[in-house]
Amino acid sequence: MPPRLPLGAHRALSSSPSVVRVHLQLQRRSASTSPASPEIYDVVCVGGGPAGLSLLTGLRASAITSGLKVALIEGQDLQKNKLHKDASLESFSNRCSSLTPASVKNLQEIGAWSHVNAARVQSYQEMQVWDGVSDARISFDWDSARPLLSARKPTQPTTIAYMIENVNTTTTLLSRLSALGGVDVFSPTKVESIELGNDTEKLDLSSWPILTLSNGKKLAARLLVGADGANSPVRTFAGIPSRGFDYNRHGVVASLKLEGPGWGGPDHKIAYQRFLPSGPLAMLPMPGHMATLVWSTTPERAATLKSLSSKDFIAMVNAGFRLSATDLEYLHTMTSGQEKEVAWREKHTPVNERSIPMKVVDVQEGSVASFPLKMRHADIYTGERVALVGDAAHTIHPLAGQGLNQGQGDAAALVRTISHAVQTGQDIGSVLALESYNSERYAENNAMLGVCDKLHRLYSVESGPIVGLRSLGLRAVNAMGPLKGFFMDRAAGRA
Amino acid sequence: MPSSSAPRALRATQRLTAQASYRPVVLSRTPRIPATTIAATVRLSSTQSSPHNPSRSSVDQTEVTHFNALASSWWDPHGPSRLLHLMNPLRHEFITRCRNSVPTPIPTSTTPSKFRYLDIGCGGGIFAESAARLPTTQSVTAIDPTPEVLKIADAHRRRDPTLLIDGRLTYLNQSIEDLALPTSPAEAYDVVTIFEVIEHVNAPGPFLEQVLQHVKPGGWLVLSTIARTWTSWVVTNVVAEDILGIVPKGTHDWEKYVNEKELRTWFAKRGWGSNGGMKTMGVMYVPGLGWKEVPGGEGWGNYFFGVRRDL
């Protein structure tokens, strides 16, 4: 049974100390004079990212839940941040995600996937993962993951996952959502405060979150959905603790151009991930010659990488897939001149070029950025009239590319929970109605968080028996098709 | 049967039989049931006089006191009524199943497509509120003889503006005997529900006779209760109340349980539920999993029973 969230745990929220004062004044005023009564909504979603938008689209797309009155509050301007239809295919956002077939299936079911800018989505059919210390390697593709005695059926999928810019995902969902209509969108609008409503003679809103927006409007939420990111103000309001730690690692991202479309050609794209002691280095295919980089490393090295000239940065990325951990350690101590140093060292480090990504020839101007890696998990995803989805509920190490997919899974599960509640006349904000959402998602997300965390720890070890064991593990898994199939099913979100 | 339970169960049967033979208090509307009928059937036709309302109420004052005491925790999702809350979605699923078992008449201007509900023994309003929220509902009238739980129901309703829409949900502190009879079929109800009630009623026979009059021709009477078997005695009185403590002590009086077969016979005699208009669903609470449908469960545990009033 999930821990109970006492009503007393609700507390007023403010995003900054200056807002606290404003908020307190508001409270005092409302105590003396009768404030304008809030507008009543069934679902108020704070946060217009992929998870929040997917939730609202799911609710609007279903005949069962389309009768609900819903609102979206987003601090950014959703219209301004849309992807342009004719955006150049030579330029990609550095914020990309790997969408699993399960996530894509859900987007299809809610009618969104047909709105995607397909030219900017890149499916990949193979994954190459190797140990940066011992070079033990595992390759994933559906051909080698078949059952022992049967060939892969032609109807079976060949795609492991889809690389997509986050802005493409949100634009896709917004496009579907505007076609469906019926959402009161407040954007760009900030949430000034959230507090519980009053018990008046007529109506008792003492269990309802009342949101005061930066435009002065007040909304009462039967169900308040926190899709408002890792520092979720909704989670703070609900008094739900979120636990975890920082990895003391940063993820360096960049949009890159390679010398070609990849070793498998345009129809067989390959994702690469090399586990270095400082963290995994991943090169993920984008359309054409483009690729996106995620390099998890120490904050100091991330800072160095960001300070390099384009030429030195490109040299470092190429070196990251080719040179030894010791070489890389030295290269990170240099403030410039990596290009020449790498060229010289590569001559003395024989590699099978076809087993690693094609060489980077260009880095997109201004696309090198970094973000701190964290692991966070909320104690519970639901409270009275509150549900958390996406990063508000959990933050994961990006090494398996599961973050956005977990949020999509949350949104789909919450739509199912709300749908069942509507069909059986439950108050969709009640603790009881929301229980199934928490029980369905918590264990699954927790398992994924745990696996990715353990992988990170496993590959942070540079020497000793662990290196031998983990290499043995990789080789063994690589040799066993069915076991690999199981792992790939997990990665594809089919499990 | 555990040896400790035998004397109590035996006493119960003796008492029921004794009442039937010595005091066959039968209301004028209730047909006499032959004395040869098994003791269990007698239970449906017998009635006990209550010192507080001797004339006609089916309400047991001991039960009223018991539920008054439970009132404050009625809506606590982790409180003593948690099992009822968890069961509630199944009630709707069963009603839908009943309705779908016969072809729905095409709605015309005279037959509204929205339904009128009467919920008897509504308690804190768990079912009544949920029925009132359904988009297919026109109105819900919910009655209960226990004043304290109705106060809770009324207070809880104020937490949801949807339920305050005029005429959507009406609570009445009445017993079924006091509820005005419909003067025309249109005034009767499409769905009359009696959930977890008849096991708390003094005399289910006369009680059901009262209820029947409120069902619209073509409408459904839907109830849920517990079969009177040794398994249900152990489960509800010993396991649920004593061992697990998930049901408040003193909630159940096994002697009052009614079996599904008794209901079938009783309704068939009155010409109800012909052409497949009788439905049953056995259910069981599985800790950790919730309420699950158990085929055949009506023979030994909790069950739903639905019967259609012929057109």
Side-chain angles (χ1 to χ4, degrees):
Chain A
M1 198 179 292
R4 292 173 59 190
L5 175 68
L7 206 65
H10 281 290
R11 55 174 182 265
L13 150 100
S14 294
S15 46
S16 69
S18 65
V19 182
V20 174
R21 281 195 296 276
V22 175
H23 157 62
L24 288 176
Q25 280 164 3
L26 275 176
Q27 254 190 337
R28 271 202 296 275
R29 206 185 311 146
S30 71
S32 51
T33 63
S34 90
S37 52
E39 188 163 0
I40 301 227
Y41 282 88
D42 290 312
V43 179
V44 174
C45 179
V46 180
L53 291 175
S54 184
L55 170 84
L56 291 172
T57 308
L59 291 176
R60 293 297 307 150
S62 155
I64 296 160
T65 47
S66 61
L68 299 173
K69 187 173 172 184
V70 296
L72 168 65
I73 301 155
E74 166 59 52
Q76 308 272 317
D77 190 337
L78 287 169
Q79 293 308 315
K80 260 193 199 163
N81 294 334
K82 271 188 179 176
L83 179 69
H84 288 285
K85 238 184 222 162
D86 43 4
S88 161
L89 288 172
E90 290 292 303
S91 166
F92 283 87
S93 157
N94 58 4
R95 297 187 61 195
C96 295
S97 297
S98 158
L99 273 186
T100 63
S103 295
V104 171
K105 186 166 170 268
N106 178 56
L107 290 173
Q108 284 168 337
E109 280 166 4
I110 61 178
W113 194 243
S114 56
H115 293 253
V116 80
N117 185 335
R120 302 182 73 83
V121 179
Q122 181 60 60
S123 65
Y124 60 90
Q125 290 71 30
E126 191 180 330
M127 265 192 296
Q128 291 283 341
V129 180
W130 70 102
D131 187 325
V133 177
S134 73
D135 263 349
R137 181 177 286 262
I138 180 167
S139 69
F140 292 99
D141 66 85
W142 287 111
D143 263 327
S144 61
R146 66 176 192 264
L148 275 178
L149 295 172
S150 57
R152 191 181 64 79
K153 295 188 198 94
T155 50
Q156 277 178 316
T158 56
T159 294
I160 292 170
Y162 302 81
M163 288 308 301
I164 184 169
E165 298 158 285
N166 291 358
V167 67
N168 195 356
T169 307
T170 50
T171 306
T172 298
L173 285 161
L174 279 170
S175 166
R176 170 63 171 152
L177 211 47
S178 81
L180 287 163
V183 180
D184 290 348
V185 180
F186 299 94
S187 159
T189 309
K190 290 205 166 12
V191 176
E192 296 282 335
S193 71
I194 312 174
E195 59 199 21
L196 291 174
N198 297 321
D199 186 356
T200 62
E201 199 179 322
K202 200 176 144 230
L203 188 58
D204 177 6
L205 292 179
S206 59
S207 70
W208 288 54
I210 313 290
L211 296 90
T212 305
L213 307 185
S214 54
N215 63 7
K217 275 209 161 66
K218 274 180 187 281
L219 316 184
R222 181 186 292 279
L223 172 60
L224 173 62
V225 177
D228 46 353
N231 297 318
S232 171
V234 169
R235 192 184 63 222
T236 306
F237 158 74
I240 300 174
S242 175
R243 295 163 210 275
F245 45 83
D246 296 346
Y247 282 102
N248 193 31
R249 290 286 185 280
H250 279 223
V252 177
V253 294
S255 300
L256 306 171
K257 187 172 185 175
L258 309 183
E259 59 188 349
W263 299 113
D267 298 326
H268 185 91
K269 289 276 199 168
I270 306 163
Y272 298 88
Q273 183 151 293
R274 186 186 189 198
F275 280 92
L276 291 166
S278 52
L281 165 65
M283 178 85 82
L284 299 147
M286 294 301 287
H289 295 193
M290 305 300 289
T292 189
L293 175 85
V294 186
W295 191 340
S296 312
T297 189
T298 62
E300 299 76 31
R301 290 186 182 190
T304 312
L305 285 170
K306 282 196 290 183
S307 71
L308 297 178
S309 68
S310 287
K311 285 191 168 159
D312 287 340
F313 181 79
I314 292 166
M316 280 301 278
V317 174
N318 286 329
F321 286 101
R322 288 164 175 81
L323 299 185
S324 71
T326 322
D327 279 346
L328 288 168
E329 200 168 328
Y330 172 73
L331 288 165
H332 276 291
T333 62
M334 299 170 65
T335 48
S336 66
Q338 276 89 347
E339 192 188 13
K340 275 187 186 159
E341 186 68 27
V342 169
W344 181 80
R345 280 169 191 262
E346 275 185 349
K347 280 183 208 155
H348 303 279
T349 315
V351 287
N352 177 5
E353 283 291 330
R354 286 196 157 252
S355 68
I356 54 177
M358 281 184 164
K359 277 205 164 166
V360 179
V361 294
D362 201 6
V363 55
Q364 196 175 301
E365 184 83 26
S367 73
V368 183
S370 78
F371 53 93
L373 302 187
K374 294 169 183 182
M375 155 86 146
R376 293 279 190 279
H377 204 184
D379 281 4
I380 186 170
Y381 297 170
T382 57
E384 191 169 22
R385 304 205 178 281
V386 171
L388 305 176
V389 295
D391 288 356
H394 41 72
T395 309
I396 193 171
H397 194 291
L399 64 84
Q402 291 300 323
L404 191 132
N405 295 298
Q406 285 188 315
Q408 294 298 297
D410 293 346
L414 188 52
V415 169
R416 280 195 295 278
T417 290
I418 293 172
S419 186
H420 181 252
V422 168
Q423 278 176 302
T424 53
Q426 297 178 76
D427 184 334
I428 61 167
S430 69
V431 170
L432 274 159
L434 294 170
E435 259 180 20
S436 65
Y437 166 64
N438 186 64
S439 57
E440 185 182 340
R441 291 304 296 169
Y442 194 90
E444 194 173 328
N445 285 333
N446 203 40
M448 187 60 88
L449 285 164
V451 167
C452 292
D453 180 49
K454 299 300 172 295
L455 275 174
H456 166 80
R457 282 161 203 289
L458 185 62
Y459 283 95
S460 303
V461 180
E462 286 184 61
S463 61
I466 298 276
V467 174
L469 278 176
R470 79 188 181 210
S471 308
L472 200 66
L474 268 188
R475 291 196 184 102
V477 171
N478 195 33
M480 293 178 69
L483 192 61
K484 222 156 74 175
F486 167 79
F487 278 121
M488 286 179 65
D489 274 333
R490 296 290 305 190
R494 260 185 280 263
Chain B
M1 191 187 295
S3 57
S4 62
S5 70
R8 185 177 166 181
L10 190 63
R11 273 202 310 278
T13 315
Q14 284 166 342
R15 194 152 65 88
L16 281 171
T17 320
Q19 281 161 7
S21 45
Y22 297 128
R23 296 195 305 142
V25 186
V26 175
L27 293 180
S28 58
R29 285 190 288 272
T30 314
R32 276 297 296 270
I33 293 193
T36 51
T37 329
I38 52 164
T41 315
V42 172
R43 156 106 175 86
L44 278 172
S45 66
S46 69
T47 186
Q48 290 174 324
S49 62
S50 153
H52 302 287
N53 198 347
S55 60
R56 50 200 221 107
S57 178
S58 55
V59 177
D60 184 329
Q61 283 307 313
T62 325
E63 299 278 4
V64 172
T65 312
H66 175 75
F67 286 112
N68 261 336
L70 283 179
S72 61
S73 58
W74 204 282
W75 282 97
D76 178 354
H78 300 279
S81 300
R82 179 170 168 84
L83 288 194
L84 286 181
H85 284 282
L86 293 179
M87 183 191 257
N88 200 48
L90 271 184
R91 295 167 170 170
H92 290 285
E93 279 163 36
F94 183 70
I95 292 169
T96 309
R97 200 182 290 186
C98 285
R99 277 209 201 105
N100 292 347
S101 68
V102 287
T104 345
I106 299 146
T108 64
S109 55
T110 49
T111 60
S113 55
K114 292 200 165 190
F115 303 106
R116 301 181 72 231
Y117 285 80
L118 170 63
D119 186 30
I120 300 164
C122 62
I126 296 173
F127 175 77
E129 279 199 2
S130 63
R133 279 192 202 96
L134 293 176
T136 51
T137 297
Q138 187 192 329
S139 70
V140 176
T141 303
I143 65 169
D144 200 287
T146 314
E148 288 306 313
V149 295
L150 265 194
K151 269 186 211 157
I152 296 290
D154 232 13
H156 196 270
R157 174 175 65 155
R158 291 174 54 255
R159 295 160 71 105
D160 186 348
T162 308
L163 304 176
L164 298 176
I165 297 169
D166 227 16
R168 187 68 75 93
L169 176 58
T170 310
Y171 284 119
L172 300 171
N173 186 195
Q174 284 183 358
S175 64
I176 186 67
E177 290 82 0
D178 299 329
L179 190 69
L181 288 171
T183 53
S184 69
E187 273 182 30
Y189 296 92
D190 300 284
V191 182
V192 176
T193 53
I194 326 167
F195 291 125
E196 316 308 317
V197 166
I198 57 170
E199 67 270 26
H200 302 289
V201 169
N202 274 334
F207 168 71
L208 285 175
E209 288 289 352
Q210 288 286 331
V211 172
L212 296 187
Q213 306 171 65
H214 295 277
V215 183
K216 200 181 269 187
W220 285 83
L221 170 66
V222 176
L223 62 85
S224 63
T225 185
I226 321 174
R228 188 183 62 260
T229 61
W230 71 270
T231 41
S232 69
W233 188 86
V234 171
V235 168
T236 56
N237 288 18
V238 182
V239 178
E241 293 187 18
D242 294 340
I243 300 175
L244 293 177
I246 49 179
V247 169
K249 265 200 88 58
T251 296
H252 293 107
D253 186 353
W254 179 84
E255 296 152 25
K256 289 183 176 178
Y257 290 6
V258 178
N259 288 340
E260 187 256 354
K261 275 204 180 115
E262 294 160 10
L263 287 170
R264 278 188 181 267
T265 316
W266 196 86
F267 279 101
K269 276 198 179 126
R270 280 153 185 81
W272 277 49
S274 52
N275 303 318
M278 251 190 245
K279 293 262 166 271
T280 311
M281 177 168 84
V283 292
M284 184 168 77
Y285 180 75
V286 187
L289 292 175
W291 287 95
K292 295 286 161 200
E293 183 174 356
V294 184
E298 63 275 13
W300 50 268
N302 288 80
Y303 66 92
F304 286 94
F305 180 82
V307 58
R308 185 169 175 262
R309 179 171 192 169
D310 291 0
L311 279 167

